[in-house]
Amino acid sequence: MNYKIISFLVLIVITYACTPTSASSGREVLDMNTDWAFYRGEVKDGSRRELDDSGWMAVALPHIMQLETKHCGGNSIYDGIGWYRRYFKLPKKYKDKRIVVSFEGVMTNCTVYLNGQEITEHHGGYMGFVSDLTDRIDWEGNNVLAVRVSAEYDPLTPPGKLQDKMDFYYYSGIYRDVRMEITDKIYVTDPLQEDLVAGGGQFVTFPEVTKEKAKTHVATHIRNLTDQDATLSVLSRLKDSTGRVVSEIKTPVDLPGRSAWTVGQDLIVERPALWHPYDPNLYTLQTQLLSENKVLDETVREIGIRTIRYTAEEGFFINGEKLYMRGANRHQAFAYVGDAASNSMQVRDVIDLKRGGYNAVRAAHYPNDPAFLDACDRYGLLVVECIPGWQFYNPDSTFIKRLYGVGRQMIRRDRNHPSVVLWETALNESRYPVSLAKEIFDLSHAEYPGDQMYTAGDYFGHEEMEPYYDVFYKQVSKFPKDGDVMSNYPEDFISVKPLFTREWGDGVGEKPRVSLQENEEEQMRQCRSRIEQLNGRGYFDWCMLDANPHMGGHFVWSYNDYARGSQDETMYSGVVDINRYPKFSYYMLQSMRDKSVSQPGLYEGPMVFIASYNASAVFTSSTTDITVFSNCDEVRLYRNDKLIGTQTREERTPLYRSVVEKGGSPVFVFNAGGYEAGELKAEALVGGAVVATHRVSTPEKADRLVVDIKTDGIIPIADGSDMIPVYIKVCDKNGSLVYDSGQEIMIQVSGEGVLIGDTIRRIGINPQKVEGGVGFAFVRTTKKAGKITVKATAKGLSAGEAEVVTKPYKGTYVADGQHGLFGGKEEDNVVIKPTLWQKRILEKPRLKIASVQVGSSQNGYPASNIIDNDDHTWWIAGEDKLPQVITLVLERPTYVAASRILFQKDSSSYKHKVETSTDGVHWELLYERECTGWEFKPMIVDREVKYVRLTIEDVSEGRAGLGEMSLIVINK
């Protein structure tokens, strides 16, 4: 297939912000992401205009209601109430306009108020909504938009499951963009504000698509809020990538007062540039609502002309040509900020997925950010879009009504995206009645009529469920009699419906999950697991993947690591970690892409990667099984410029035949015989010529820090809310990553940027201990364009420094109103919850302490307070001298399961060590660490003790102090 090479020459100057203001068009879109005040907790009459909010904290959106640690599993995140307030004044020129505020995502439920009056109530955090302020604005004074947000458990709002039972988190807050839209009272509607099946806003379809001609049908819904009849024209133009108008049509319409109408128009495009994931051609659709020569309203959107179909025998076709989907599942969560990431971070994920060899993504398990889907359109990434759900169904009528509602809204919001090619209308891995499947199937096809709507879901149940999905996710061995039995055997292959594997690669195999902190051998074990699974030797539920002749594609679980409510440990199934730093398996799956397909500005087709750090004779990955990933015809591996060997794709194919037959690549494994420190070099060849090279040098001792500001060609915007990811790498003198470093680093940001979470020791950003030699942080831009400098330091290492320059924001803000200073601090009213493991430990009985010994005590804060089972009574040392030693004594040697220490001051950092003894003479170190007072996590003891000695060696401020020390036993 010959794909037209697309041009990304402007990639390095791409900017992502709200839709630019166009005053002449009759529609103005104003940014509302800055100048908010936030309060963590409940506030009586929090919407009242006269409320004293001087103690609230100043925040920018996107916003999570409480910053969290990178590894925050075990249902330990904030799940309470929060209030937001935004002051504004509007010029009186807008007095006769329609004024709405559009929220892209508020987690989970919220109520919106204007000047104390309730405007909107919304349930569900994954879909946006519109709050209509028309005729409610105070034109003489200050206005206060207030939003009460609840992240509390709600079984009536999908996905509806308790977070401590969930495989991911909802997080919290106004975590996506907010904007104000001002239009004439005769306008093009918003599909999320209208309740119109297959309508509202604009619905673009393509009744005819060939390489010679395409018919684009545009259904534009317009509304007249005035009492007067209007004579109008709807003018629609299609422009190609150069800005040339390729088709236009003008349609007259009479619109009576207080009415609405849908105007249908057909635009014919000769020799259309069709949208394809490797050639993502986009057209600009401009629609103007005209009254004589006046533009009442204008909408501008990008569309892609394409046609899709699925078959049971061969899978997926786009524009009449078969395409095998190689995809990944993506959660929208990031370190520290949860789901509250800027638009540019959504775009970076799409770029990273494309570079990683994927042509598709499953947006698991909920509708993703509109900016993510826009980027999928722009860069060419097929999307499976999902309704919110995960192993939960509530038969309550309210839950069902809200589920149907979010299904309709999801389709209305995203139906014009060429990237969205499959709609997952099943509650993921849940059991529910056939009637529910039928209702969602019917409403989906009603919302998107024609042959371009395809729904997908798990196959649980019997043959009565079969008609209500267009695509199956499971291979059923005894269809239709036993819908719960899957198979991984060729003799059971059937082709009842088009077949895809929505999740594979986790839960079984040699090593399904691996942390970036683990060594090269462990990372290779994950890779070995997954290449074998791709080749057909995996969990039966995955339908043999590439070995299945009917398989249309599959989605690895998962693209990124993520924290989850149901488990304390981070889910390490990703090919990148939470920070999006790649593991070896990222490159293994990257090698599955076609070497003949390149997307200029994103990637060149040929690739090669040595899956080794060449670190030690201990690892087979550095000696006898040095693995190289490549999609090329031939690979040569050298050690210190001496050839280890040459392998060809042809000779390796018999070991991975199913993978190669589906367009993937074999794995190249070399035996170096032994180990020698130095450099490994791999060359990949096509047609006898070297087309890609990769080098790996043995890491020496840590020498320096390297700061990498990851822009991906995206210039940060000085809008006060854009976010920039920064990696800090511990390297040797040659620049090689010291992959096993856990070095503590400090970060300093100066200029026109702010380090997110800078002053909060609780979450471990600054200072932080790197993982796998890599540290990570987010920098938020200010409203002033200019240089941002990021400097990193560490004891004994050379400092690292990097710079980035932000661009001025081209949009317009809703001007801030009159208010006092918001004096609140980021950690005000912070809520610290024990993880599931900690909670289980803390529920166990505490041992009776015979006595406690301290070096000194301050009046009113005696040593007895340490063991009185009251966290709110303190012992404080009677002197500033350090160290301070505290010793607990039991009546007799006793088995202790865990210990719990609560330091006296939350914000202070305590360097300390804990030792145990059975006789008070011979001591054994339990652990040594530094932590803040927030970190009162139980620590495993798992030994017999009579004495426990805590030595506080250093305190960041004030004297040494404790709230409580306790020893925990597990009854046998």
Side-chain angles (χ1 to χ4, degrees):
M1 179 176 182
N2 294 321
Y3 300 111
K4 186 178 71 176
I5 295 178
I6 59 173
S7 173
F8 281 89
L9 297 179
V10 296
L11 178 65
I12 60 171
V13 294
I14 289 173
T15 59
Y16 297 93
C18 293
T19 307
T21 299
S22 178
S24 63
S25 70
R27 176 180 292 252
E28 296 189 54
V29 182
L30 310 178
D31 188 333
M32 289 193 75
N33 278 352
T34 56
D35 300 314
W36 288 82
F38 172 71
Y39 184 87
R40 186 181 297 113
E42 186 61 276
V43 179
K44 184 179 180 182
D45 298 327
S47 65
R48 190 164 50 90
R49 190 159 24 179
E50 300 79 16
L51 182 76
D52 179 7
D53 51 21
S54 59
W56 292 35
M57 62 188 81
V59 300
L61 310 181
H63 184 260
I64 184 173
M65 291 204 289
Q66 181 170 294
L67 293 171
E68 306 290 353
T69 59
K70 177 179 178 180
H71 302 290
C72 57
N75 195 33
S76 61
I77 68 169
Y78 184 74
D79 57 359
I81 303 296
W83 278 86
Y84 294 83
R85 286 164 68 89
R86 175 63 154 85
Y87 289 82
F88 68 93
K89 284 186 175 183
L90 290 179
K92 292 184 180 180
K93 67 178 182 178
Y94 296 134
K95 197 167 186 180
D96 295 325
K97 298 289 188 178
R98 167 183 168 265
I99 301 170
V100 300
V101 174
S102 177
F103 294 84
E104 287 187 352
V106 181
M107 191 64 71
T108 297
N109 300 324
C110 67
T111 307
V112 181
Y113 303 85
L114 182 66
N115 301 328
Q117 180 182 1
E118 181 177 328
I119 304 295
T120 310
E121 183 178 70
H122 183 75
H123 299 277
Y126 295 112
M127 285 303 304
F129 61 95
V130 176
S131 289
D132 197 330
L133 309 187
T134 307
D135 302 327
R136 300 172 187 260
I137 303 291
D138 182 346
W139 296 102
E140 303 300 327
N142 224 13
N143 291 276
V144 181
L145 186 72
V147 187
R148 181 188 185 272
V149 179
S150 170
E152 296 175 313
Y153 170 57
D154 180 4
L156 300 179
T157 299
K161 192 169 187 174
L162 281 164
Q163 296 215 70
D164 66 4
K165 302 287 192 296
M166 288 281 285
D167 186 58
F168 58 98
Y169 275 131
Y170 316 146
Y171 292 104
S172 63
I174 305 180
Y175 75 102
R176 291 179 182 165
D177 292 342
V178 176
R179 59 187 177 273
M180 178 178 287
E181 297 186 9
I182 302 173
T183 70
D184 195 274
K185 290 194 175 180
I186 303 175
Y187 62 100
V188 178
T189 64
D190 187 314
L192 295 184
Q193 190 176 19
E194 302 291 326
D195 187 16
L196 189 61
V197 174
Q202 286 189 302
F203 189 2
V204 183
T205 54
F206 307 97
E208 299 175 21
V209 178
T210 67
K211 292 180 180 179
E212 290 72 38
K213 186 174 74 172
K215 179 190 287 187
T216 302
H217 182 75
V218 181
T220 303
H221 188 243
I222 57 178
R223 182 174 290 281
N224 182 355
L225 292 178
T226 74
D227 295 322
Q228 306 300 314
D229 298 345
T231 299
L232 309 167
S233 295
V234 178
L235 174 63
S236 291
R237 295 188 180 98
L238 271 181
K239 301 178 183 179
D240 65 15
S241 59
T242 69
R244 180 176 65 93
V245 176
V246 297
S247 185
E248 71 176 13
I249 186 171
K250 188 174 184 180
T251 305
V253 59
D254 292 325
L255 190 63
R258 301 294 170 181
S259 71
W261 189 251
T262 299
V263 179
Q265 297 175 306
D266 290 323
L267 295 106
I268 306 301
V269 181
E270 302 292 341
R271 294 180 299 280
L274 301 182
W275 189 94
H276 186 282
Y278 303 144
D279 194 7
N281 295 293
L282 293 173
Y283 289 86
T284 299
L285 172 63
Q286 177 192 46
T287 299
Q288 292 181 327
L289 192 56
L290 306 173
S291 175
E292 297 180 345
N293 293 323
K294 181 182 179 183
V295 179
L296 298 182
D297 198 6
E298 179 181 277
T299 64
V300 179
R301 70 177 70 248
E302 289 185 319
I303 64 169
I305 300 173
R306 55 95 174 129
T307 182
I308 61 172
R309 65 184 173 93
Y310 293 83
T311 71
E313 292 292 338
E314 297 186 83
F316 176 70
F317 290 77
I318 184 166
N319 303 326
E321 298 181 5
K322 183 177 178 179
L323 181 69
Y324 194 64
M325 287 192 200
R326 289 192 180 274
N329 286 271
R330 181 248 188 187
H331 270 307
Q332 64 183 13
F334 291 83
Y336 313 122
V337 300
D339 292 347
S342 65
N343 291 344
S344 63
M345 292 307 303
Q346 313 299 323
V347 178
R348 288 183 178 94
D349 269 10
V350 173
I351 292 173
D352 199 40
L353 282 159
K354 287 290 292 187
R355 289 174 175 166
Y358 304 101
N359 58 23
V361 63
R362 179 168 174 254
H365 300 283
Y366 38 76
N368 275 216
D369 195 304
F372 182 79
L373 297 180
D374 288 343
C376 290
D377 293 344
R378 187 174 299 114
Y379 293 102
L381 192 64
L382 302 171
V383 177
V384 178
E385 183 149 35
C386 312
I387 59 172
W390 195 81
Q391 296 185 1
F392 179 83
Y393 165 68
N394 189 340
D396 188 281
S397 60
T398 300
F399 177 89
I400 295 171
K401 179 182 178 182
R402 290 177 183 173
L403 179 67
Y404 292 165
V406 73
R408 290 186 182 278
Q409 291 168 346
M410 175 181 76
I411 296 169
R412 292 170 188 172
R413 188 192 74 171
D414 298 329
R415 62 200 175 192
N416 295 327
H417 286 284
S419 58
V420 179
V421 294
L422 192 58
W423 305 83
E424 187 174 316
T425 55
L427 290 169
N428 182 72
E429 297 176 356
S430 307
R431 295 186 180 274
Y432 43 84
V434 175
S435 59
L436 187 86
K438 180 181 185 302
E439 286 290 333
I440 300 180
F441 178 84
D442 289 345
L443 74 83
S444 298
H445 282 276
E447 289 289 348
Y448 201 132
D451 63 0
Q452 296 296 286
M453 161 58 74
Y454 290 87
T455 66
D458 296 320
Y459 184 72
F460 280 130
H462 298 274
E463 65 267 29
E464 64 269 23
M465 195 77 84
E466 180 268 335
Y468 305 121
Y469 300 112
D470 299 305
V471 170
F472 272 0
Y473 281 152
K474 295 185 183 294
Q475 174 74 51
V476 184
S477 65
K478 297 180 181 179
F479 178 89
K481 294 183 179 179
D482 192 343
D484 283 343
V485 179
M486 278 66 73
S487 166
N488 209 33
Y489 302 101
E491 59 266 27
D492 289 328
F493 284 160
I494 55 175
S495 54
V496 177
K497 291 285 179 76
L499 176 66
F500 289 78
T501 296
R502 86 219 188 298
E503 297 172 12
W504 72 274
D506 181 57
V508 299
E510 181 183 354
K511 180 82 171 182
R513 305 169 188 173
V514 63
S515 163
L516 194 65
Q517 300 178 72
E518 296 181 69
N519 63 50
E520 63 180 76
E521 194 79 72
E522 296 303 309
Q523 290 208 48
M524 266 310 306
R525 289 178 63 201
Q526 185 188 46
C527 296
R528 285 197 298 267
S529 295
R530 290 182 169 177
I531 192 67
E532 290 298 312
Q533 291 158 7
L534 275 180
N535 211 30
R537 292 182 288 276
Y539 182 50
F540 65 86
D541 195 17
W542 302 340
C543 317
M544 294 188 74
L545 298 172
D546 288 349
N548 189 327
H550 305 303
M551 181 66 63
H554 43 70
F555 299 81
V556 69
W557 193 271
S558 55
Y559 163 61
N560 55 302
D561 292 348
Y562 57 94
R564 49 195 174 146
S566 61
Q567 299 290 329
D568 284 29
E569 185 176 66
T570 292
M571 181 61 138
Y572 291 115
S573 58
V575 299
V576 300
D577 83 339
I578 296 176
N579 306 333
R580 278 45 173 183
Y581 198 85
K583 308 175 192 176
F584 286 178
S585 58
Y586 177 86
Y587 300 99
M588 190 271 282
L589 290 168
Q590 185 185 69
S591 73
M592 300 300 149
R593 75 185 184 207
D594 188 338
K595 66 178 180 296
S596 68
V597 177
S598 299
Q599 289 192 236
L602 277 181
Y603 64 85
E604 295 298 319
M607 63 78 60
V608 65
F609 178 83
I610 304 168
S612 171
Y613 294 129
N614 196 27
S616 170
V618 173
F619 304 130
T620 61
S621 50
S622 287
T623 54
T624 58
D625 293 286
I626 304 176
T627 300
V628 179
F629 302 128
S630 179
N631 59 358
C632 296
D633 298 339
E634 184 179 349
V635 173
R636 298 172 186 161
L637 184 66
Y638 301 83
R639 171 170 269 157
N640 298 327
D641 295 325
K642 290 181 283 189
L643 182 66
I644 293 174
T646 300
Q647 294 180 11
T648 66
R649 183 183 183 92
E650 183 179 5
E651 69 184 85
R652 296 296 293 176
T653 289
L655 299 173
Y656 308 97
R657 187 166 300 281
S658 295
V659 173
V660 175
E661 287 177 351
K662 285 294 200 301
S665 300
V667 172
F668 302 87
V669 182
F670 295 86
N671 184 349
Y675 177 72
E676 184 181 319
E679 182 188 76
L680 289 173
K681 181 179 74 172
E683 294 178 337
L685 295 86
V686 175
V690 175
V691 293
T693 303
H694 183 227
R695 291 179 169 85
V696 172
S697 295
T698 303
E700 300 177 16
K701 70 175 184 178
D703 177 76
R704 64 191 61 180
L705 298 179
V706 174
V707 177
D708 179 10
I709 300 176
K710 193 172 186 289
T711 59
D712 290 308
I714 302 170
I715 297 180
I717 304 301
D719 61 0
S721 66
D722 198 7
M723 294 163 61
I724 311 167
V726 179
Y727 296 96
I728 301 96
K729 302 174 187 178
V730 179
C731 295
D732 66 11
K733 64 183 180 182
N734 303 310
S736 295
L737 178 70
V738 182
Y739 70 92
D740 57 353
S741 174
Q743 177 76 48
E744 183 174 271
I745 61 173
M746 290 290 296
I747 307 169
Q748 179 183 347
V749 176
S750 58
E752 298 306 326
V754 178
L755 181 65
I756 294 178
D758 186 17
T759 61
I760 310 170
R761 296 187 65 96
R762 172 181 62 86
I763 57 176
I765 293 177
N766 198 26
Q768 72 171 275
K769 288 190 175 181
V770 303
E771 297 183 354
V774 182
F776 179 80
F778 279 118
V779 173
R780 179 177 280 118
T781 62
T782 68
K783 286 185 177 182
K784 181 181 178 183
K787 184 169 66 176
I788 299 174
T789 302
V790 181
K791 184 177 181 180
T793 58
K795 186 176 180 180
L797 302 183
S798 298
E801 186 173 305
E803 296 176 350
V804 66
V805 177
T806 62
K807 286 192 66 173
Y809 178 47
K810 299 295 186 182
T812 304
Y813 302 98
V814 174
D816 195 10
Q818 292 179 342
H819 58 81
L821 291 176
F822 302 130
K825 305 299 182 184
E826 182 72 52
E827 288 291 86
D828 290 351
N829 302 326
V830 71
V831 175
I832 306 300
K833 293 166 53 181
T835 68
L836 295 177
W837 179 82
Q838 295 164 23
K839 188 176 180 181
R840 287 193 295 270
I841 289 293
L842 295 174
E843 288 171 349
K844 303 299 180 182
R846 300 183 187 184
L847 285 169
K848 182 178 180 181
I849 309 299
S851 64
V852 57
Q853 302 167 4
V854 298
S856 64
S857 295
Q858 184 172 308
N859 289 338
Y861 302 96
S864 58
N865 286 351
I866 297 174
I867 57 172
D868 65 355
N869 292 329
D870 186 346
D871 289 351
H872 304 289
T873 61
W874 302 331
W875 162 80
I876 299 177
E879 54 189 354
D880 295 329
K881 177 180 151 185
L882 289 168
Q884 289 285 331
V885 179
I886 303 93
T887 305
L888 303 185
V889 183
L890 300 176
E891 291 181 352
R892 64 185 65 85
T894 306
Y895 173 78
V896 177
S899 68
R900 175 180 182 258
I901 299 173
L902 176 63
F903 291 98
Q904 178 256 332
K905 203 167 186 181
D906 294 332
S907 58
S908 293
S909 180
Y910 298 83
K911 185 178 180 181
H912 66 284
K913 66 179 178 181
V914 175
E915 302 163 288
T916 65
S917 174
T918 55
D919 58 9
V921 177
H922 302 92
W923 294 89
E924 184 178 358
L925 181 68
L926 181 64
Y927 66 86
E928 190 167 7
R929 64 181 300 204
E930 183 175 1
C931 69
T932 68
W934 293 119
E935 299 180 83
F936 54 90
K937 299 175 181 178
M939 301 295 291
I940 294 174
V941 177
D942 191 26
R943 63 179 67 161
E944 187 174 88
V945 305
K946 182 178 180 181
Y947 301 90
V948 176
R949 184 167 69 190
L950 165 67
T951 303
I952 301 177
E953 299 171 331
D954 193 22
V955 184
S956 62
E957 56 184 356
R959 293 179 176 176
L962 292 174
E964 195 71 20
M965 280 185 70
S966 53
L967 304 178
I968 297 159
V969 65
I970 297 178
N971 291 332
K972 299 183 179 180

